[in-house]
Amino acid sequence: MNSVDKIQFSLFYGEVPEATCYGYMEINQDGNMIALYNSYGEEIDLFGGHEMVKVRTLGKFDDEDRDNFYSLLESDGVG
């Protein structure tokens, strides 16, 4: 089962980081990050530098049920 964690992060891309913001990190069952999303639920390119701090876990969802992923984001006020 994958999980969605709310995180605080900064994006570097070789420059001075912009303001720290909140977003979401999707983690697979092995504990590896497979996607990073901004606070609007839009996927962020994983290439380039990024620094993250986990704030809390929103919940878990079955790999086959992507709708549950969006339900987790909606429960946090996204969408």
Side-chain angles (χ1 to χ4, degrees):
M1 293 188 92
N2 291 359
S3 68
V4 175
D5 293 349
K6 185 168 188 176
I7 57 170
Q8 180 179 16
F9 67 94
S10 299
L11 298 176
F12 291 103
Y13 298 115
E15 301 173 3
V16 176
E18 296 180 18
T20 299
C21 56
Y22 287 93
Y24 306 92
M25 177 171 52
E26 184 179 348
I27 300 172
N28 67 12
Q29 58 192 351
D30 296 326
N32 299 317
M33 180 178 67
I34 58 175
L36 181 64
Y37 302 88
N38 65 18
S39 59
Y40 303 107
E42 300 166 338
E43 191 166 356
I44 297 173
D45 185 6
L46 289 175
F47 297 105
H50 51 268
E51 180 178 289
M52 296 171 265
V53 176
K54 179 177 165 181
V55 177
R56 65 187 166 104
T57 299
L58 297 177
K60 297 185 181 298
F61 64 96
D62 188 289
D63 297 337
E64 296 175 3
D65 186 10
R66 296 293 297 174
D67 290 340
N68 202 7
F69 169 77
Y70 296 106
S71 296
L72 290 172
L73 293 184
E74 287 174 4
S75 71
D76 197 48
V78 175

